[in-house]
């Protein structure tokens, strides 16, 4: 793992969305539970949801639901919107970090998520965060979803910045780190060291949470005007 002292200063930050900036595990779990129940399939536990949900519905639902995949995606999206409308919770320090970075004009902020793009952008707007981001890229917005590089390229379009070590990709799963590796970006994992150590991906920087990310950025002068 790269030492924080040897990190390439970031010119752009790309965040995952779910459980990196907002707390959505319970919402995802409830929507999946509703969908499985509708199709008379055994529901997952919350822990199974945490372990299994990585790729986009476009990638995973054909395996789960066969020729009913498109119908199941529509139902899941409907149920997710239902639960999201009742509860949408930012993670601690998320808004303060986005606000500070944006106020200092350090470079573009973007999101690359495997959540459907229309739902992603709706949630950002509901939180009043859409103004922080250069691009909000979700599932099906690009020709392929995370961990493919296509959504990373789309997230940086128009910024004058190409994927590389000066783009920090921040997320909470192995798919995020693999995506960062595929794009040649600095891979920043938010989560336990034990999880990072077992990943089949290179992690450039492992931090516990967004407070830790903000501290590293600030300590290295990456927020200086």
């Amino acid at each position: 793992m790269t030492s924080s002292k040897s990190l390439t200063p970031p010119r752009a930050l790309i965040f995952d969305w779910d459980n990196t900036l907002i707390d959505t595990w319970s919402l995802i779990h409830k929507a999946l539970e509703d969908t499985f129940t509708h199709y008379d399939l055994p529901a997952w536990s919350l822990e199974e949801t945490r372990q299994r949900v990585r790729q986009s519905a476009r990638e995973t639902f054909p395996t789960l639901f066969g020729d009913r995949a498109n119908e199941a995606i529509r139902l899941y999206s409907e149920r997710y919107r239902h639960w999201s409308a009742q509860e949408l919770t930012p993670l601690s320090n998320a808004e303060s970090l986005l606000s500070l970075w944006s106020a200092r004009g350090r470079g573009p902020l973007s999101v690359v998520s495997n959540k459907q793009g229309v739902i992603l952008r709706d949630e950002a707007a509901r939180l009043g965060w859409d103004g922080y981001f250069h691009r909000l890229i979700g599932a099906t917005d690009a020709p392929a979803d995370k961990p493919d590089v296509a959504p990373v390229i789309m997230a940086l379009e128009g910024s004058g910045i190409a994927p590389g070590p000066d783009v920090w990709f921040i997320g909470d799963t192995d798919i995020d780190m693999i995506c960062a590796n595929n794009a040649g970006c600095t891979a920043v994992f938010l989560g336990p060291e034990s999880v990072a150590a077992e990943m089949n991906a290179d992690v450039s920087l492992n931090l516990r949470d967004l407070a830790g990310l903000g501290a590293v950025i600030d300590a290295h002068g990456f927020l200086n005007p």
Side-chain angles (χ1 to χ4, degrees):
M1 191 174 299
T2 303
S3 164
S4 60
K5 295 180 180 179
S6 61
L7 290 168
T8 301
R11 297 176 63 207
L13 302 181
I14 296 177
F15 287 92
D16 171 50
W17 184 252
D18 291 311
N19 306 300
T20 295
L21 290 174
I22 64 171
D23 182 2
T24 58
W25 277 125
S26 66
L27 308 182
I28 294 168
H29 177 66
K30 290 174 183 177
L32 279 173
E33 188 173 44
D34 291 346
T35 306
F36 287 137
T37 298
H38 177 83
Y39 289 103
D40 294 321
L41 294 173
W44 295 344
S45 68
L46 177 58
E47 184 57 31
E48 286 175 314
T49 298
R50 288 176 177 269
Q51 293 296 323
R52 296 183 183 186
V53 172
R54 293 291 183 270
Q55 295 177 292
S56 65
R58 164 164 74 171
E59 299 291 336
T60 59
F61 272 42
T63 300
L64 293 171
F65 299 100
D67 58 8
R68 301 176 295 179
N70 289 336
E71 177 186 293
I73 288 172
R74 289 191 292 272
L75 176 60
Y76 169 80
S77 298
E78 174 190 311
R79 297 311 299 163
Y80 179 87
R81 284 179 179 274
H82 167 79
W83 294 113
S84 175
Q86 299 181 42
E87 178 186 354
L88 189 62
T89 307
L91 288 172
S92 298
N93 301 294
E95 185 163 16
S96 60
L97 179 58
L98 298 176
S99 177
L100 184 57
W101 181 275
S102 298
R104 298 288 178 88
R106 297 301 301 169
L109 294 169
S110 292
V111 169
V112 168
S113 172
N114 274 341
K115 168 174 283 174
Q116 290 184 40
V118 64
I119 299 178
L120 166 66
R121 289 182 284 275
D122 174 67
E123 289 186 338
R126 285 166 53 201
L127 291 169
W129 288 5
D130 45 341
Y132 291 134
F133 296 107
H134 172 68
R135 291 284 179 88
L136 289 151
I137 306 301
T140 76
D141 289 336
D145 301 324
K146 217 170 38 174
D148 195 272
V149 300
V152 175
I153 293 170
M154 184 175 284
L156 294 170
E157 282 180 356
S159 70
I161 299 173
D166 58 356
V167 177
W168 288 17
F169 193 116
I170 302 135
D172 70 311
T173 69
D174 52 349
I175 288 291
D176 297 317
M177 300 301 96
I178 294 169
C179 186
N181 293 171
N182 289 342
C185 298
T186 293
V188 181
F189 175 67
L190 302 184
E193 289 183 14
S194 58
V195 175
E198 295 178 357
M199 282 187 179
N200 187 28
D202 292 329
V203 176
S204 304
L205 181 63
N206 179 202
L207 301 165
R208 190 67 186 89
D209 51 27
L210 289 167
L213 174 63
V216 168
I217 289 174
D218 188 41
H220 288 74
F222 299 151
L223 284 171
N224 289 344

